Amino acid sequence: MDIEQANEQLERLRLEASGEAGKGKVASYIPELAKEDPHQLGISVCLSDGTILSAGEAQKPFTLQSISKIFSLIVALCQNGQQHVFERVGKEPTGDPFNSIIKLETIKPHKPLNPMINAGAIAVAGMIQGKSVQERLDCILDLLRRITGNPHIGVNEAVYCSEKKTAARNRALAWFLKDSGVLAGDVEETLDLYFRHCAIEVTAEEVARLGMALAADGVDVRTGDRVFPAEVARICKTFMVTCGMYNASGEFAIDVGIPAKSGVAGGIMATVPQRMGIGVFGPALDEKGNSVAGVKLLALLAKDWELGIF
Ligand code: GLN
């Protein structure tokens, strides 16, 4: 692939998709996120030899939000094994919004349907082991720092505090999980870990590297080191297809056809098995919480570069 030509193609597609941003709105239920300029759009692609291609705001830091749910799941699976994890959280997609509480009560047993919705990710946070919240967070940070090669990856304190102060819904989910026996241990500590890992700050370029590690079945292509087992990568990529774009996952699978996980700060991590990781940042969201311009850009790129896996 000619790098210069590929960068030009990315920029052309980025410009075409950026018009969509006007159709969306930045998340405001976490007040700190509402400060973002909705018209930003950046993309980075990490190829299987570690080469990075980029266009637009690829170096602009943003918080992972729900993209972090993939990495907390990786840590929980590595520490506890599949049986322990899936006794407490399911493997089924939900047609409900990511923060919905309804099925927690109506479905029995009362375990969250999957680890990509908030209830499921809070249950997963509860399984991460360590003597303190900081130690548990460090397990996730270490993994991200190792794959990206950036030892400074950390939590955006303003976004973390902003969510912590306003997270009535997530608190309700967590306490319901406690009541149902899904969450063991201290609920406020687990919520604190969840808010912190959601507020981990990255760039689109770093997200592309993270996506590439999943594409390479758990191998960091920069160093050739295995960072998590292939079986864990397989589980994560499957969740990305079935639940990664919340209740728009089916539509995304048909229109784009790449395993992907989005977050309400406007990020999307996509992973094309064996070939590439893609990081997108576009903070204006559709009503389901996915970046409008980001989804459009991935659809254009998937078509142009024939990236769909189906
Ligand atoms: N921290 C966010 C929340 O719990 C993450 C949600 C998301 O990105 N969809 O609401």
Side-chain angles (χ1 to χ4, degrees), residues 29-30 33 63-69 98-99 116-119 121-122 159 163 167 169-170 173 194-195 197-199 246 261-267 285 288-290:
Y29 76 99
I30 299 175
L33 296 182
T63 53
L64 279 172
Q65 299 300 335
S66 277
I67 302 172
S68 64
K69 293 171 181 172
F98 61 83
N99 59 357
M116 300 293 112
I117 52 173
N118 287 9
I122 293 168
V159 174
E163 176 161 22
R169 173 75 71 109
N170 283 329
L173 291 170
Y194 172 79
F195 301 142
H197 77 58
C198 284
Y246 322 119
K261 180 76 206 86
S262 67
V264 290
L285 308 178
K288 291 184 177 167
N290 295 316

Side-chain angles (χ1 to χ4, degrees), residues 3 47 62 70 118 159 174 204 207 212 214 217 222 228 234 238 243 273:
I3 307 290
L47 302 178
F62 61 94
I70 290 288
N118 287 9
V159 174
V207 171
M212 185 61 228
L214 284 153
D217 298 328
R222 266 177 341 102
F228 49 90
R234 187 185 69 79
T238 313
C243 320

